[in-house]
Amino acid sequence: MRKSTKLAFPTLVSFLTISVLATACSSTTPTTGGTNSTTPSSTAASNEKGGQGNVTVTMWHGLTSIDLENMNKVVKAFEAKNPTVKIKLVYTESNEGADQKLLTAVAGGNPPDIAYFDRFKVGSWAAQGSLTDLSTMAAGAGINKNSYYPFAWDESNYKGKLYAIPLGTDSRLLFYNKDHFKEVGLDPNNPPKSLAELEAASEKLTIKDGKRFKRIGFIPWYSQGWLYSWGWSFGGDFQDKSTGKITANDPKVVDALQWMTDFGKKYNVEDIAGFTSAAGTDEMDPFISGQISMKISGNWTVAGIKKFKPNLNYGVTPIPTPTGSNFTTWSGGMSLIIPKGSKNIEPAWKFLEFLGKEEGQYLLNAQSGMSVIDSVNAKFGYKDDPIMKEFVNILPKSHNRPVIPEGQLLWNELASATEKATRSNGTPKENLDKVTETVNKALEKYNK
Amino acid sequence: MAKLAESVHLKASPVARKQRSFRRTNVIGWLFASPWALGLICFYAIPMFASIYFSFTTYSILQPGEFVGLNNYKDLFNDPLFWKSIYNTIYFAVFFVPISIFFGVALAMMLNLKVKGMAIYRTIFFLPTLVPQVALAVLWMWLLHPNFGLVNGMLASIGIDGPPWLGGEAWSKPSLILMSLWGIGHAVVIYLAGLGDIPDEYYEAAEIDGANWFQKTKTVTLPLLTPVIFYNLVMGTIGAFQQFTLPYTMTKGQGTPANSMTFYVMYLYENGFRYFKMGYASAMAWILFVIVMALTALIFISSKRWVHYQGK
């Protein structure tokens, strides 16, 4: 007898842990964000038959502070209009980790009904067949390419089908420090428009002490000065819309990179790298601390300046172009998607539709950012704000990054080509030819 | 059970009793270990063997992909960034592992002196290892800021124009090695334990023979510390090849400048989770496994020549 009790304890321990392990892996237990966690499947089924049961729609997001408050308002407004649908917000941190969570959830066949999703990734996820095609539902709800700015619509579509509802957006402009302008005798109300003016201003603003910059006027590739920003400003294009092929070696994009390279040479690239490599953020941001006089950045910087240095005397103006006219920029932003495998597509779409129209867009972007609907931005009063109006007014002409399955590869390749060229590691042309070849080769397997 | 319990009351031969109790402790042991064993099979063994298979496919996590034989491996060998990441990783390992062993042993020997307040010094050297890697990365980025960092500020005050550190292609990896030395505390603790294991009699005998400090170190301390050095060498090498958190945090996953900070595991992660090339990433993982395995085997084989175990 004594012996059997001796075995009882370890048996119990192992039995308990194994059962815990087993339940942790089984799909029937409620785990965070599981779609069937709070909705007994019977009610979901009855609802599809037109029953009166409530459906709970789960949405994964990475929103915090003001954005989360706004989203809660959206949910409230939506539920008031759709009493049979409950929206359950589940926070999944907003970084790479969130992507991996979604990835494994989709791969495991237990995704949320809706996910807050970077539009930039629509191409790659749609190519993997992991997003629900929204085209028919959108057409039925009157959502079409005229609903949004052109780039926002284009970025939500892959191969002619709509996979996402765009939410907010951004744009990139040249920020310049008006006090610095005054100090060196430049007109603070007449910022540079052409490249020649930009170069001249930059030269005047730079104060160099040996290898060290006490202050630098401008660095083309700093902050948001991606090759995308310059390539489009030079009038180039990165994709042939008719064939879908990548054209990173478009002569005008090559010109843009050549100009960036030459600009860097003038100030000694190694010294610039020393400046940019560990440039601070927030209150230590070089533009806020006055270490750089001009930079290309996005509208989120406006909030940062308000927070960390409200009295900074600055202005914004479109990214200078070779001719001093035909200004453009590029925009990204977030969206909502319905992952493949969602069990509540109908009610989930209702929520997407709500957010895709004025009321939802207004609630979501209030005090926080720009909407993809022009009338909503007007309602926010952005068009009367000296700074914000510049960001909003350029949106109709803004670009979106090519929607391809290899968007991330193209991004990394362009970034690395920019870095190599500006560090004189191969000419701009050589580097961009290589990017074009690499990405097009990677795209081949999707066209089989 | 009951039968077993009854049989124990019979006078069994001592050997049989021993065997039985041995068998019983075995059962108890396995029962206690079973959750772990199950976890190991579920979450390590099965995925590991699955990834061998995946390395021959175009598996993308979201799609099963198709079987492509050795294509992934062929593509890897033609991928310049793959070679660059191997070069970066080996560069880091070749410098970091010996330097960390040298400093680790030196520090441990210093912390082994009988000086007042030694506990405080030991604590000070162990503290940095408690700082999370991500926080450490941010901290060092500030210290090493080429223009406004403390390090270059100090160098400037004595008239030296400091290097660009993390901003320079040639300087980024040395900077990382410098930063990684901060995590030396763990190894130092193990060396200290090793030093504490060396019997005083050896030192007394050496002193009677008139050995000075240097001779004592060379003939007593270091040879008897070799098992611990060996352990840290193996673990350090494996760790160095898996370098990820620090460079990933500092370069926001981009491996800047000019891919001089793209380490093997970073590139593997990029392929698997950002390009959806899990098959390719699996192939990379197995190549890494073979490299690390071969190196570890080499270290083990060589250990017969230089590792001395006490009393053997």
Side-chain angles (χ1 to χ4, degrees):
Chain A
M1 272 332 293
R2 231 178 49 238
K3 303 293 167 295
S4 57
T5 50
K6 239 188 187 162
L7 276 178
F9 177 63
T11 314
L12 184 76
V13 168
S14 66
F15 176 76
L16 281 177
T17 27
I18 287 175
S19 58
V20 166
L21 268 176
T23 48
C25 320
S26 83
S27 57
T28 49
T29 45
T31 48
T32 45
T35 47
N36 43 14
S37 52
T38 50
T39 321
S41 48
S42 57
T43 58
S46 71
N47 193 279
E48 276 157 34
K49 289 177 203 140
Q52 287 308 305
N54 279 351
V55 187
T56 302
V57 171
T58 313
M59 172 174 145
W60 286 7
H61 67 91
L63 299 162
T64 52
S65 63
I66 176 85
D67 298 316
L68 183 58
E69 285 164 36
N70 284 347
M71 188 55 93
N72 281 325
K73 281 180 197 157
V74 173
V75 170
K76 231 187 217 135
F78 171 80
E79 286 176 349
K81 285 193 171 169
N82 299 276
T84 56
V85 184
K86 287 266 163 294
I87 303 287
K88 184 170 161 228
L89 297 181
V90 178
Y91 177 81
T92 52
E93 82 262 65
S94 67
N95 58 15
E96 298 252 331
D99 259 15
Q100 282 182 39
K101 260 201 179 96
L102 192 60
L103 199 63
T104 40
V106 173
N110 194 22
D113 298 311
I114 305 174
Y116 185 74
F117 194 81
D118 193 337
R119 283 203 297 275
F120 176 58
K121 300 193 174 100
V122 166
S124 58
W125 284 61
Q128 294 286 341
S130 302
L131 305 180
T132 304
D133 178 4
L134 311 171
S135 310
T136 330
M137 294 185 281
I143 290 177
N144 55 42
K145 63 185 298 186
N146 303 323
S147 310
Y148 311 116
Y149 294 115
F151 69 81
W153 175 260
D154 289 346
E155 200 171 29
S156 308
N157 276 273
Y158 175 66
K159 291 197 171 167
K161 291 198 172 80
L162 183 75
Y163 289 100
I165 289 292
L167 301 175
T169 195
D170 54 27
S171 55
R172 285 137 191 84
L173 299 174
L174 179 77
F175 285 64
Y176 64 101
N177 187 318
K178 288 184 172 177
D179 289 341
H180 291 187
F181 268 53
K182 273 184 219 153
E183 181 195 315
V184 299
L186 288 162
D187 180 0
N189 299 317
N190 191 12
K193 287 189 175 56
S194 68
L195 296 177
E197 288 167 4
L198 180 68
E199 286 165 39
S202 178
E203 213 155 316
K204 271 191 172 154
L205 289 159
T206 303
I207 307 169
K208 207 171 174 182
D209 174 20
K211 282 172 66 174
R212 220 171 287 275
F213 288 105
K214 281 222 153 107
R215 181 172 79 198
I216 187 161
F218 183 68
I219 303 168
W221 56 85
Y222 177 66
S223 190
Q224 290 291 314
W226 303 101
L227 187 54
Y228 276 129
S229 314
W230 292 111
W232 277 312
S233 291
F234 270 67
D237 217 335
F238 293 85
Q239 186 183 23
D240 180 339
K241 288 280 188 295
S242 56
T243 61
K245 281 228 182 319
I246 293 303
T247 56
N249 52 0
D250 175 323
K252 285 181 168 158
V253 178
V254 175
D255 285 349
L257 187 50
Q258 186 65 55
W259 175 80
M260 292 165 82
T261 308
D262 295 342
F263 192 105
K265 276 202 188 109
K266 204 162 47 186
Y267 291 90
N268 190 355
V269 176
E270 274 292 324
D271 299 353
I272 295 183
F275 181 93
T276 54
S277 71
T281 49
D282 295 348
E283 59 267 73
M284 301 310 291
D285 176 287
F287 187 72
I288 288 181
S289 60
Q291 291 155 355
I292 190 167
S293 305
M294 299 183 283
K295 69 166 181 177
I296 307 266
S297 197
N299 48 298
W300 58 87
T301 306
V302 175
I305 294 173
K306 267 201 189 96
K307 188 171 167 188
F308 297 109
K309 200 170 181 184
N311 59 353
L312 185 71
N313 184 14
Y314 74 101
V316 292
T317 185
I319 300 171
T321 60
T323 56
S325 57
N326 290 335
F327 301 114
T328 184
T329 185
W330 63 275
S331 303
M334 299 302 284
S335 68
L336 290 184
I337 53 120
I338 301 180
K340 260 282 158 56
S342 154
K343 293 169 190 69
N344 300 306
I345 292 178
E346 292 272 320
W349 165 254
K350 274 190 187 157
F351 189 63
L352 261 64
E353 184 192 338
F354 183 76
L355 263 167
K357 292 189 169 165
E358 277 92 345
E359 187 187 351
Q361 289 269 332
Y362 184 83
L363 289 169
L364 183 67
N365 292 304
Q367 316 285 326
S368 115
M370 298 191 295
S371 161
V372 288
I373 301 177
D374 198 51
S375 62
V376 173
N377 288 331
K379 236 185 188 167
F380 285 140
Y382 287 156
K383 297 191 175 187
D384 314 317
D385 179 288
I387 298 280
M388 282 314 291
K389 77 172 179 213
E390 297 286 343
F391 286 104
V392 172
N393 290 345
I394 203 158
L395 286 177
K397 290 175 294 198
S398 187
H399 288 83
N400 61 286
R401 288 157 293 179
V403 187
I404 52 169
E406 296 285 358
Q408 187 68 51
L409 178 69
L410 176 58
W411 175 275
N412 289 2
E413 285 286 321
L414 287 174
S416 127
T418 306
E419 200 169 38
K420 280 185 186 148
T422 51
R423 285 169 181 265
S424 308
N425 185 347
T427 67
K429 177 99 174 75
E430 285 164 8
N431 277 298
L432 289 170
D433 282 340
K434 218 163 153 8
V435 172
T436 310
E437 187 196 352
T438 305
V439 179
N440 281 330
K441 194 168 159 258
L443 287 175
E444 271 169 24
K445 63 171 183 272
Y446 295 93
N447 299 328
K448 277 174 194 165
Chain B
M1 274 296 170
K3 206 170 179 182
L4 193 107
E6 258 172 63
S7 68
V8 178
H9 294 296
L10 303 173
K11 276 258 187 274
S13 72
V15 174
R17 203 164 48 217
K18 215 175 188 160
Q19 258 184 355
R20 241 200 326 272
S21 76
F22 178 71
R23 204 176 319 137
R24 198 164 36 239
T25 43
N26 248 353
V27 172
I28 293 175
W30 273 110
L31 273 173
F32 268 117
S34 60
W36 169 84
L38 200 82
L40 187 84
I41 293 165
C42 252
F43 301 117
Y44 277 91
I46 294 173
M48 236 170 97
F49 289 110
S51 83
I52 294 183
Y53 166 74
F54 287 140
S55 75
F56 300 113
T57 67
T58 56
Y59 175 57
S60 77
I61 309 179
L62 297 165
Q63 288 178 328
E66 48 200 71
F67 192 83
V68 289
L70 289 168
N71 269 8
N72 284 331
Y73 293 89
K74 275 185 212 141
D75 288 351
L76 270 173
F77 284 82
N78 294 322
D79 179 350
L81 203 48
F82 165 77
W83 292 110
K84 176 94 191 176
S85 71
I86 286 192
Y87 164 78
N88 287 338
T89 310
I90 288 177
Y91 178 114
F92 178 80
V94 160
F95 284 99
F96 174 70
V97 176
I99 291 173
S100 70
I101 287 177
F102 175 80
F103 277 104
V105 173
L107 260 177
M109 283 169 73
M110 278 192 249
L111 293 173
N112 206 28
L113 300 171
K114 311 250 180 305
V115 184
K116 235 193 175 138
M118 191 42 88
I120 296 166
Y121 291 116
R122 286 181 180 187
T123 312
I124 289 171
F125 279 105
F126 189 69
L127 273 180
T129 58
L130 300 176
V131 179
Q133 291 245 306
V134 174
L136 197 75
V138 176
L139 177 81
W140 273 98
M141 280 166 75
W142 272 111
L143 290 173
L144 293 177
H145 189 293
N147 281 20
F148 316 104
L150 189 70
V151 176
N152 274 4
M154 283 176 167
L155 288 175
S157 69
I158 51 170
I160 299 174
D161 205 353
W165 298 113
L166 293 161
E169 243 174 290
W171 281 92
S172 59
K173 281 190 286 287
S175 307
L176 184 71
I177 289 164
L178 185 78
M179 291 158 81
S180 302
L181 284 176
W182 256 55
I184 212 166
H186 274 294
V188 170
V189 169
I190 300 171
Y191 288 128
L192 271 171
L195 288 171
D197 261 354
I198 301 172
D200 284 341
E201 290 88 2
Y202 294 155
Y203 289 114
E204 283 160 14
E207 264 164 43
I208 289 165
D209 288 343
N212 59 22
W213 175 88
F214 180 75
Q215 286 164 316
K216 275 193 286 186
T217 304
K218 191 171 159 281
T219 54
V220 179
T221 313
L222 287 181
L224 290 176
L225 205 56
T226 45
V228 183
I229 294 176
F230 169 61
Y231 168 82
N232 276 329
L233 176 65
V234 172
M235 297 313 273
T237 308
I238 294 173
F241 271 86
Q242 296 179 344
Q243 176 65 263
F244 179 85
T245 312
L246 270 182
Y248 189 87
T249 312
M250 286 186 308
T251 66
K252 299 186 179 71
Q254 298 292 331
T256 47
N259 285 323
S260 66
M261 292 280 266
T262 301
F263 290 90
Y264 196 92
V265 180
M266 269 169 79
Y267 189 48
L268 187 152
Y269 173 89
E270 181 94 346
N271 275 308
F273 289 102
R274 295 179 83 184
Y275 299 162
F276 297 136
K277 288 161 76 177
M278 204 35 103
Y280 200 67
S282 298
M284 279 188 82
W286 280 96
I287 291 172
L288 180 68
F289 175 78
V290 169
I291 294 173
V292 173
M293 197 72 196
L295 273 171
T296 312
L298 272 178
I299 297 171
F300 263 90
I301 291 165
S302 77
S303 74
K304 291 190 180 66
R305 309 178 64 119
W306 60 272
V307 177
H308 308 276
Y309 291 98
Q310 270 188 71
K312 282 182 191 167

